[in-house]
């Protein structure tokens, strides 16, 4: 790392530490909010509850004719609380000037944006980052996103998404932390801390948004926006924990979701928004609706019209309306008629104003609008270094027969095949609306230091036309004209690196799939090349778990590289050639077939778990119930040996667990030791395994480490269907090891 970059990073840390020494004066803040509120008319208050899309890009269905016509006028009247999809210092300043200079009270607006995995410099997609199991790195990645976004005028990101999901068909799994609530909660905390830092009034922090509250990841059949039908045990134990952790870590906003839960659209759900979030969890920030999730309550069959939407949503605790135009047009009449109480409006507006004060917008509405800072920080070199590190850490080695990897420098003739190898756009992944197209380092570019060893043939196109954020990706389903050239190249090479997978825009919002295979003609290409050369390293790029049973059986080496963002090709090249030893672990199970989905390691045993000769067991007749690659799984260029598990109950609901891990190989490597428990008999049936601890560390060859876990009430209990937390006496099984499948077993009794 250069000195300039080191100084920059140290500077950032000092800035945050200094800011941290000044505790927020809550009472003073509350009285500022109340004073301002007392000056506001009802129309101005309702205006604060109104979030408008900007003037160009959209991230949802366009509004109905005429709805968005009066935006400028509303800004001038102080009837806009926040805007989304406006970015860049110049644009933000223009809008802020209208709000501040022209409206009666000059209340600044918030600028929200989907900064999901970076603003311009892109880190890996969130699912990939989750595979790092490295909380410091994930926090650091969100920090960089915040620094760049804040420098470009943005003060609010609609991230992190913390929807737990077990359904790889759902395109939005790319945006989350995977299938497990424990890992997901740790990631939620890291991301919130990364975005918000310790001081919101600093110029390099932005407010985060925990989304989507709640249950959105359980959309039936993996179809986006579809119905959710889960019980309260799943809600309390699987869905809500990351949100609770986000709230405990001070997240300032929560976004509700599109789906219904127990027949009620989340935007109109009082139980979720008022009873749980605001009352039980004492959430002090504000709730924002999702894009038109208000209006969609009409489609759901829950609201008659937009006026009804406004009544239901405001009373249920949804504080800000994104792109439904329900509050701006109907709340006043509802207050006048007594259907919405003034206290509901006051509570929502106080929450919104408080966040604006916390951000320091009343002191300086243009604090994020410094063009020089924008020029200096966006695409900063230090950010490239950091996202490269994050990308390396996100790669998972799925298979490595006969140590085919790492590749040998200088000696091997290597064929690189697959359109994705030469693609500098797709690896940026989905959800990167602020960034610039085609700015990723492609695999071929990353392999340039080894160009004397490498020859390339595309084999087949993945797409037949441009792939964009708003449209379905056109996949090449038939053109195999490049196969022969690829086969010829493979025949004369020692080893073949095949870069295959999904286009970056095949996952993300509105991009559910019914198939989880390699799209288009890629599977055929893989098999055709395999016919002539079996020394294949398959480099997978995808935004979700794939079902690739043929490859898992036949291809000797498989590297899961997801969509790794700006530095993709460099990270992949460094792992391929052994400059970095991969240490990622899957945050989601990879199924054998679509028919197994939804699938997760923390399933229930059922009453008929044993697969005996008869058919009367909870299995499939044509497929195993085990995943292809389990949650927590990932290999290394070295191997780790587990020994000497000791488990001791040290006090009331206190268990100490110790295990020795030794690096048995010839290179240093990183391991993630995972601890799983099973509460054998409980008043609410518990899953066969639940992750309750993990530690990531590095070991030199031959080095051993004692890994110690302390289990407490927080890890040993569960929620019943009414949301009460219990730790029950009795027998527990424990497994400590290298994945959810493999480890040393023990037990203890509470
Ligand atoms: C809809 C998505 O569900 C949400 O996550 C996003 O933040 C908004 N659109 C705004 O773009």
């Amino acid at each position: 790392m250069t000195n300039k970059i080191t100084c920059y990073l140290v500077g950032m840390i000092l800035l945050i530490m200094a800011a941290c020494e000044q505790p927020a004066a809550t009472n003073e803040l509350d009285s500022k909010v109340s004073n301002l509120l007392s000056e506001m008319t009802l129309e101005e208050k309702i205006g604060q509850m109104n979030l408008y899309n900007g003037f160009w890009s959209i991230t949802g269905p366009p509004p109905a004719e005429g709805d968005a016509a009066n935006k400028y006028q509303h800004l001038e009247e102080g009837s806009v609380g926040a805007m989304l999809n406006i970015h860049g210092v110049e644009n933000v300043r223009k809008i802020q000037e209208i709000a501040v200079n022209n409206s009666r009270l000059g209340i600044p607006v918030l600028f929200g944006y989907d900064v999901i995995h970076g603003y311009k410099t892109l880190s890996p997609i969130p699912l990939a980052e989750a595979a790092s199991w490295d909380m410091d790195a994930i926090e650091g990645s969100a920090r960089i996103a915040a620094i760049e976004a804040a420098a470009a005028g943005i003060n609010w990101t609609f991230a992190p998404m913390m929807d737990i999901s077990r359904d790889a068909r759902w395109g939005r799994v790319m945006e989350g932390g995977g299938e497990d609530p424990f890992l997901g909660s740790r990631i939620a905390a890291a991301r919130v801390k990364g975005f918000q830092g310790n001081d919101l009034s600093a110029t390099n922090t932005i407010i985060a948004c925990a989304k989507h509250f709640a249950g959105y990841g359980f959309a039936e059949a993996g179809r986006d926006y579809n119905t959710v039908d889960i019980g309260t045990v799943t809600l309390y134990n699987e869905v809500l924990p990351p949100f609770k952790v986000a709230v405990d870590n001070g997240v300032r906003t929560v976004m509700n979701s599109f789906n219904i839960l127990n027949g009620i659209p989340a935007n109109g759900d009082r139980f979720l928004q008022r009873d749980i979030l605001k009352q039980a969890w004492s959430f002090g920030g504000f709730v924002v609706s999702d894009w038109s999730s208000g209006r969609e309550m009409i489609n759901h069959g829950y609201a008659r019209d937009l006026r009804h939407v406004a009544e239901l949503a405001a009373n249920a605790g949804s504080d800000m309306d994104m792109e439904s135009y329900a509050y701006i047009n109907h709340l006043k009449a509802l207050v006048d008629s007594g259907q919405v109480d003034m206290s509901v409006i006051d509570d929502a507006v106080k929450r919104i104003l408080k966040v604006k004060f916390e951000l320091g917008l009343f002191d300086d509405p243009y604090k994020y609008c410094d063009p020089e800072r924008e020029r200096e920080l966006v695409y900063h070199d230090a950010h490239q270094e950091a996202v490269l590190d994050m990308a390396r850490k996100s790669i998972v080695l799925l298979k490595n027969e006969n140590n085919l990897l790492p590749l040998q420098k200088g000696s091997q003739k290597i064929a690189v095949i697959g359109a994705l190898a030469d693609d500098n756009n797709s690896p940026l992944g989905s959800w990167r609306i602020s960034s610039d197209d085609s700015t990723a380092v492609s695999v071929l570019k990353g392999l340039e230091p080894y160009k004397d060893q490498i020859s390339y043939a595309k084999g087949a196109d993945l797409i037949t036309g441009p792939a964009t954020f708003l449209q379905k990706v056109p996949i090449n389903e038939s053109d195999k004209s490049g196969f022969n050239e690829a086969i010829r190249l493979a025949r004369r090479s020692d080893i073949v690196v095949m870069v295959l997978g999904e286009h970056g825009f095949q996952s993300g919002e509105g991009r559910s799939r019914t198939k989880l295979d390699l799209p288009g003609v890629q599977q055929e290409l893989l098999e055709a090349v395999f016919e002539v050369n079996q020394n294949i390293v398959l480099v997978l790029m995808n935004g979700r778990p794939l079902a690739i049973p043929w490859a898992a059986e036949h291809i000797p080496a498989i590297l899961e590289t997801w969509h790794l963002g700006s530095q993709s090709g460099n990270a992949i090249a460094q792992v391929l050639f052994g400059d970095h030893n991969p240490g990622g672990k899957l945050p989601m199970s990879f199924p054998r077939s679509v028919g197994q989905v939804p699938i997760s390691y923390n399933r229930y045993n059922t009453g008929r778990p044993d697969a005996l000769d008869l058919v009367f067991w909870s299995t499939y007749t044509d497929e195993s119930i085990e995943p292809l690659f389990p949650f927590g799984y990932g290999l290394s260029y070295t191997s780790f040996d587990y020994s000497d598990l000791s488990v001791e109950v040290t006090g009331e609901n206190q268990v100490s667990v110790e295990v020795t891990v030794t690096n048995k190989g010839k290179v240093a490597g990183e391991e993630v030791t995972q601890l799983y428990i099973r509460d054998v008999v409980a008043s609410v049936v518990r899953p066969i395994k639940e992750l309750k601890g993990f530690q990531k560390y590095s070991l030199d060859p031959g080095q051993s480490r004692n890994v110690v876990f302390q289990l407490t009430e927080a890890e040993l209990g569960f929620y019943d269907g009414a949301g009460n937390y219990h730790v029950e006496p009795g027998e527990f099984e424990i497994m400590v090891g290298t994945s959810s499948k493999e480890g040393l077993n023990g037990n203890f009794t509470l």
Side-chain angles (χ1 to χ4, degrees):
M1 213 185 281
T2 65
N3 276 347
K4 203 173 152 209
I5 294 171
T6 314
C7 287
Y8 167 83
L9 290 175
V10 169
M12 283 300 169
I13 291 164
L14 290 178
L15 203 77
I16 291 165
M17 280 167 58
C20 194
E21 281 157 20
Q22 299 151 17
T26 313
N27 289 340
E28 200 187 317
L29 189 63
D30 286 343
S31 51
K32 279 185 187 167
V33 169
S34 300
N35 289 344
L36 180 53
L37 192 76
S38 67
E39 287 178 47
M40 294 170 78
T41 62
L42 177 57
E43 286 85 346
E44 283 164 342
K45 288 178 184 174
I46 291 167
Q48 288 302 305
M49 298 169 71
N50 185 27
L51 167 58
Y52 276 161
N53 187 48
F55 301 92
W56 57 96
S57 54
I58 53 167
T59 48
E65 192 72 31
D67 269 353
N70 301 325
K71 281 181 189 173
Y72 268 110
Q73 188 193 324
H74 288 165
L75 266 171
E76 291 184 338
E77 290 166 0
S79 293
V80 178
M83 302 278 308
L84 79 148
N85 290 339
I86 290 178
H87 62 109
V89 159
E90 204 187 316
N91 297 321
V92 168
R93 180 178 276 275
K94 261 191 231 154
I95 302 298
Q96 194 69 296
E97 274 172 356
I98 302 173
V100 170
N101 297 337
N102 299 12
S103 68
R104 189 179 73 93
L105 293 170
I107 300 175
V109 299
L110 292 169
F111 290 89
Y113 209 64
D114 289 287
V115 181
I116 306 298
H117 54 114
Y119 175 68
K120 290 277 185 197
T121 306
L122 294 176
S123 53
I125 58 169
L127 185 65
E129 288 193 355
S132 74
W133 296 56
D134 186 328
M135 298 308 122
D136 291 341
I138 291 175
E139 182 177 336
S141 155
R143 193 85 279 286
I144 284 166
I147 291 168
E148 287 201 7
I154 293 157
N155 46 38
W156 181 17
T157 176
F158 302 129
M161 187 188 100
M162 48 195 69
D163 297 305
I164 300 299
S165 179
R166 287 92 192 257
D167 199 325
R169 292 170 296 185
W170 190 47
R172 293 196 87 166
V173 297
M174 58 76 48
E175 203 182 336
E179 74 188 32
D180 180 67
F182 185 86
L183 178 61
S185 297
R186 297 280 301 274
I187 293 172
R191 290 210 165 112
V192 169
K193 284 192 238 161
F195 287 126
Q196 296 195 166
N198 291 318
D199 176 19
L200 283 177
S201 74
T203 50
N204 61 1
T205 53
I206 59 179
I207 50 171
C209 183
K211 70 187 192 185
H212 305 85
F213 200 65
Y216 183 42
F218 282 76
E220 277 182 0
R223 176 158 59 85
D224 208 359
Y225 319 119
N226 200 8
T227 301
V228 171
D229 193 5
I230 53 170
T232 48
V233 169
T234 301
L235 179 70
Y236 284 116
N237 288 286
E238 317 289 334
V239 172
L240 295 184
F243 289 95
K244 171 74 165 66
V245 167
V247 169
D248 291 346
N249 278 276
V251 74
R252 302 319 292 139
T253 67
V254 169
M255 185 185 291
N256 61 40
S257 54
F258 295 119
N259 55 281
I260 59 168
L261 189 67
N262 285 320
I264 300 183
N267 191 44
D269 195 329
R270 183 188 286 263
F271 163 70
L272 282 176
Q273 298 175 116
R274 288 217 186 274
D275 300 353
I276 295 185
L277 184 62
K278 292 181 177 172
Q279 198 175 328
W281 296 355
S282 307
F283 171 61
F286 69 87
V287 178
V288 61
S289 82
D290 202 344
W291 178 292
S292 75
S293 66
R295 178 183 297 276
E296 289 165 23
M297 287 159 70
I298 302 171
N299 292 343
H300 279 297
Y302 191 68
R304 286 184 300 277
D305 49 28
L306 268 192
R307 179 183 162 120
H308 197 199
V309 166
E311 178 190 346
L312 292 167
N315 284 334
S318 179
D319 303 310
M320 190 182 266
D321 172 7
M322 183 197 310
E323 280 297 296
S324 281
Y325 307 89
Y327 288 180
I328 190 78
N329 289 321
H330 300 287
L331 262 187
K332 179 161 180 323
L334 287 162
V335 174
D336 290 344
S337 68
Q339 284 157 294
V340 173
D341 199 86
M342 195 62 195
S343 63
V344 167
I345 307 291
D346 282 350
D347 176 61
V349 178
K350 272 187 187 171
R351 290 168 181 273
I352 295 162
L353 292 178
K354 188 171 172 190
V355 168
K356 293 186 177 184
F357 274 109
E358 286 173 326
L359 281 170
L361 287 175
F362 287 97
D363 298 327
D364 180 4
Y366 309 106
K367 59 181 284 233
Y368 301 97
C369 295
D370 177 348
E372 206 163 301
R373 199 164 54 228
E374 183 177 36
R375 263 193 306 277
E376 189 203 339
L377 294 178
V378 171
Y379 279 132
H380 196 287
D381 286 351
H383 301 169
Q384 296 292 336
E385 283 285 328
V387 298
L388 172 60
D389 188 47
M390 187 74 248
R392 287 187 297 239
K393 287 179 165 146
S394 304
I395 294 175
V396 185
L397 179 61
L398 295 176
K399 193 174 172 193
N400 195 17
E401 251 171 33
N402 306 322
N403 294 328
L404 198 57
L405 285 174
L407 302 174
Q408 290 157 27
K409 293 178 187 172
S411 52
Q412 288 169 325
K413 269 204 312 205
I414 302 166
V416 176
I417 293 174
L420 285 172
D422 195 19
D423 196 328
N424 61 2
N425 195 31
S426 169
L428 296 174
S430 201
W431 265 130
R432 30 97 168 185
I433 41 175
S434 48
S435 192
D436 300 303
D437 285 348
S438 305
T439 48
V441 176
S442 70
V443 172
L444 280 183
K445 185 90 185 136
L447 287 172
E448 250 174 32
Y450 308 99
K451 62 174 181 295
D452 295 344
Q453 285 179 261
I454 285 172
S455 310
Y456 173 65
K458 180 166 62 178
D461 282 315
L462 174 57
I463 53 177
T464 54
T468 68
F469 178 64
L470 294 176
Q471 306 293 340
K472 280 185 191 157
V473 177
I475 295 294
N476 168 27
E477 302 284 357
S478 55
D479 181 2
K480 299 181 219 164
S481 54
F483 273 32
N484 283 343
E485 189 199 345
I487 289 165
R488 275 197 301 275
L489 176 63
R491 202 176 260 131
R492 58 173 200 268
S493 303
D494 299 321
I495 199 160
V496 186
V497 173
M498 296 199 66
V499 186
L500 307 177
E502 294 182 311
H503 191 275
F505 283 132
Q506 280 188 277
S507 54
E509 186 179 349
R511 291 162 177 83
S512 299
R513 292 183 66 198
T514 61
K515 303 183 188 79
L516 294 174
D517 56 358
L518 295 168
V521 297
Q522 294 179 103
Q523 178 68 29
E524 282 176 75
L525 177 65
L526 180 63
E527 292 185 28
V529 171
F530 183 78
E531 293 249 310
V532 299
N533 190 337
Q534 303 196 351
N535 282 334
I536 294 179
V537 175
L538 173 59
V539 173
L540 288 172
M541 289 182 166
N542 37 288
R544 51 160 64 79
L546 294 179
I548 44 156
W550 186 90
E553 189 185 336
H554 296 92
I555 302 301
I558 306 178
L559 209 54
E560 175 53 69
T561 73
W562 319 101
H563 296 126
L564 291 176
S566 302
Q567 287 289 328
S568 289
N570 286 335
I572 292 168
Q574 289 176 17
V575 167
L576 283 173
F577 279 95
D579 296 325
H580 180 88
N581 186 356
K585 304 271 187 178
L586 294 179
M588 258 187 108
S589 308
F590 274 42
R592 290 169 191 275
S593 67
V594 181
Q596 289 184 316
V597 171
I599 186 170
S600 66
Y601 82 95
N602 51 356
R603 59 185 161 85
Y604 293 99
N605 206 29
T606 80
R608 295 195 175 187
D610 308 289
L612 300 183
D613 272 355
L614 303 177
V615 292
F616 306 114
W617 305 99
S618 182
T619 56
Y620 297 109
T621 53
D622 59 354
E623 185 59 279
S624 147
I625 65 163
E626 295 300 327
L628 192 60
F629 299 110
F631 174 82
Y633 171 83
L635 303 172
S636 162
Y637 294 154
T638 187
S639 62
F640 299 99
D641 179 69
Y642 280 74
S643 61
D644 303 324
L645 175 68
S646 84
V647 183
E648 197 189 338
V649 178
T650 51
E652 199 191 339
N653 299 334
Q654 300 287 331
V655 181
S656 175
V657 181
E658 241 179 282
V659 73
T660 304
V661 184
T662 306
N663 180 346
K664 300 285 272 189
K666 295 195 176 67
V667 290
E670 285 183 317
E671 171 67 331
V672 181
T673 296
Q674 302 156 44
L675 182 153
Y676 297 87
I677 65 167
R678 177 181 182 184
D679 187 343
V680 181
V681 177
S683 58
V684 171
V685 171
R686 304 308 305 139
I688 55 169
K689 262 173 211 166
E690 290 181 275
L691 182 72
K692 292 295 176 182
F694 63 87
Q695 286 180 39
K696 181 169 188 168
Y697 50 87
S698 172
L699 289 179
D700 287 331
Q703 193 186 356
S704 291
R705 180 185 176 110
N706 245 14
V707 183
V708 181
F709 295 94
Q710 302 293 346
L711 297 177
T712 65
E713 214 172 271
E715 291 82 28
L716 295 167
F718 58 87
Y719 291 95
D720 64 22
N724 304 308
Y725 191 73
H726 304 267
V727 181
E728 293 182 344
E731 193 195 342
F732 285 71
E733 291 170 358
I734 188 164
M735 190 192 83
V736 184
T738 190
S739 76
S740 64
K741 193 78 200 144
E742 200 186 330
L744 300 178
N745 296 301
N747 49 50
F748 59 91
T749 305
L750 288 186

